[in-house]
PDB file of all heavy atoms in Angstrom:
ATOM      1  N   VAL A 149      11.047  36.021  19.475  1.00 93.00           N
ATOM      2  CA  VAL A 149      11.277  34.684  18.896  1.00 93.00           C
ATOM      3  C   VAL A 149      10.768  33.622  19.880  1.00 93.00           C
ATOM      4  O   VAL A 149      10.135  32.635  19.477  1.00 93.00           O
ATOM      5  CB  VAL A 149      12.770  34.468  18.598  1.00 93.00           C
ATOM      6  CG1 VAL A 149      13.044  33.018  18.232  1.00 93.00           C
ATOM      7  CG2 VAL A 149      13.222  35.392  17.469  1.00 93.00           C
ATOM      8  N   ALA A 150      11.021  33.827  21.155  1.00 94.00           N
ATOM      9  CA  ALA A 150      10.597  32.869  22.183  1.00 94.00           C
ATOM     10  C   ALA A 150       9.096  32.647  22.144  1.00 94.00           C
ATOM     11  O   ALA A 150       8.602  31.523  22.358  1.00 94.00           O
ATOM     12  CB  ALA A 150      11.039  33.322  23.561  1.00 94.00           C
ATOM     13  N   THR A 151       8.324  33.692  21.834  1.00 96.00           N
ATOM     14  CA  THR A 151       6.856  33.526  21.792  1.00 96.00           C
ATOM     15  C   THR A 151       6.454  32.514  20.729  1.00 96.00           C
ATOM     16  O   THR A 151       5.496  31.780  20.885  1.00 96.00           O
ATOM     17  CB  THR A 151       6.135  34.854  21.468  1.00 96.00           C
ATOM     18  OG1 THR A 151       6.450  35.291  20.145  1.00 96.00           O
ATOM     19  CG2 THR A 151       6.467  35.959  22.464  1.00 96.00           C
ATOM     20  N   ALA A 152       7.230  32.490  19.612  1.00 95.00           N
ATOM     21  CA  ALA A 152       6.886  31.578  18.534  1.00 95.00           C
ATOM     22  C   ALA A 152       7.265  30.128  18.855  1.00 95.00           C
ATOM     23  O   ALA A 152       6.819  29.207  18.162  1.00 95.00           O
ATOM     24  CB  ALA A 152       7.577  32.022  17.239  1.00 95.00           C
ATOM     25  N   LEU A 153       8.122  29.936  19.847  1.00 95.00           N
ATOM     26  CA  LEU A 153       8.617  28.604  20.168  1.00 95.00           C
ATOM     27  C   LEU A 153       7.779  27.947  21.271  1.00 95.00           C
ATOM     28  O   LEU A 153       7.963  26.750  21.585  1.00 95.00           O
ATOM     29  CB  LEU A 153      10.064  28.672  20.612  1.00 95.00           C
ATOM     30  CG  LEU A 153      11.039  29.295  19.568  1.00 95.00           C
ATOM     31  CD1 LEU A 153      12.435  29.401  20.187  1.00 95.00           C
ATOM     32  CD2 LEU A 153      11.070  28.461  18.311  1.00 95.00           C
ATOM     33  N   LEU A 154       6.888  28.722  21.870  1.00 96.00           N
ATOM     34  CA  LEU A 154       6.089  28.190  23.007  1.00 96.00           C
ATOM     35  C   LEU A 154       5.336  26.944  22.601  1.00 96.00           C
ATOM     36  O   LEU A 154       4.675  26.924  21.550  1.00 96.00           O
ATOM     37  CB  LEU A 154       5.067  29.234  23.474  1.00 96.00           C
ATOM     38  CG  LEU A 154       5.603  30.372  24.353  1.00 96.00           C
ATOM     39  CD1 LEU A 154       4.575  31.488  24.446  1.00 96.00           C
ATOM     40  CD2 LEU A 154       5.958  29.850  25.757  1.00 96.00           C
ATOM     41  N   GLY A 155       5.450  25.906  23.392  1.00 93.00           N
ATOM     42  CA  GLY A 155       4.679  24.690  23.150  1.00 93.00           C
ATOM     43  C   GLY A 155       5.202  23.845  22.003  1.00 93.00           C
ATOM     44  O   GLY A 155       4.540  22.891  21.587  1.00 93.00           O
ATOM     45  N   SER A 156       6.361  24.225  21.471  1.00 92.00           N
ATOM     46  CA  SER A 156       6.987  23.475  20.357  1.00 92.00           C
ATOM     47  C   SER A 156       5.966  23.187  19.250  1.00 92.00           C
ATOM     48  O   SER A 156       5.609  22.040  18.972  1.00 92.00           O
ATOM     49  CB  SER A 156       7.546  22.154  20.874  1.00 92.00           C
ATOM     50  OG  SER A 156       8.387  21.585  19.925  1.00 92.00           O
ATOM     51  N   PRO A 157       5.448  24.241  18.594  1.00 95.00           N
ATOM     52  CA  PRO A 157       4.371  24.050  17.604  1.00 95.00           C
ATOM     53  C   PRO A 157       4.830  23.305  16.367  1.00 95.00           C
ATOM     54  O   PRO A 157       6.019  23.241  16.085  1.00 95.00           O
ATOM     55  CB  PRO A 157       3.957  25.486  17.244  1.00 95.00           C
ATOM     56  CG  PRO A 157       5.064  26.352  17.695  1.00 95.00           C
ATOM     57  CD  PRO A 157       5.827  25.634  18.730  1.00 95.00           C
ATOM     58  N   ASP A 158       3.870  22.744  15.634  1.00 96.00           N
ATOM     59  CA  ASP A 158       4.195  21.975  14.424  1.00 96.00           C
ATOM     60  C   ASP A 158       4.804  22.869  13.336  1.00 96.00           C
ATOM     61  O   ASP A 158       5.651  22.443  12.573  1.00 96.00           O
ATOM     62  CB  ASP A 158       2.919  21.334  13.855  1.00 96.00           C
ATOM     63  CG  ASP A 158       2.324  20.318  14.817  1.00 96.00           C
ATOM     64  OD1 ASP A 158       3.090  19.782  15.631  1.00 96.00           O
ATOM     65  OD2 ASP A 158       1.109  20.073  14.757  1.00 96.00           O
ATOM     66  N   LEU A 159       4.321  24.102  13.253  1.00 97.00           N
ATOM     67  CA  LEU A 159       4.826  25.040  12.257  1.00 97.00           C
ATOM     68  C   LEU A 159       5.253  26.330  12.939  1.00 97.00           C
ATOM     69  O   LEU A 159       4.453  26.945  13.654  1.00 97.00           O
ATOM     70  CB  LEU A 159       3.727  25.339  11.217  1.00 97.00           C
ATOM     71  CG  LEU A 159       4.011  26.430  10.191  1.00 97.00           C
ATOM     72  CD1 LEU A 159       5.223  26.066   9.327  1.00 97.00           C
ATOM     73  CD2 LEU A 159       2.781  26.662   9.285  1.00 97.00           C
ATOM     74  N   VAL A 160       6.509  26.711  12.687  1.00 96.00           N
ATOM     75  CA  VAL A 160       7.032  27.953  13.267  1.00 96.00           C
ATOM     76  C   VAL A 160       7.425  28.866  12.102  1.00 96.00           C
ATOM     77  O   VAL A 160       8.217  28.489  11.247  1.00 96.00           O
ATOM     78  CB  VAL A 160       8.276  27.685  14.147  1.00 96.00           C
ATOM     79  CG1 VAL A 160       8.831  28.988  14.689  1.00 96.00           C
ATOM     80  CG2 VAL A 160       7.933  26.736  15.281  1.00 96.00           C
TER      81      VAL A 160
END
Side-chain angles (χ1 to χ4, degrees):
Chain A
V149 170
T151 66
L153 303 175
L154 281 166
S156 194
D158 296 335
L159 173 61
V160 178

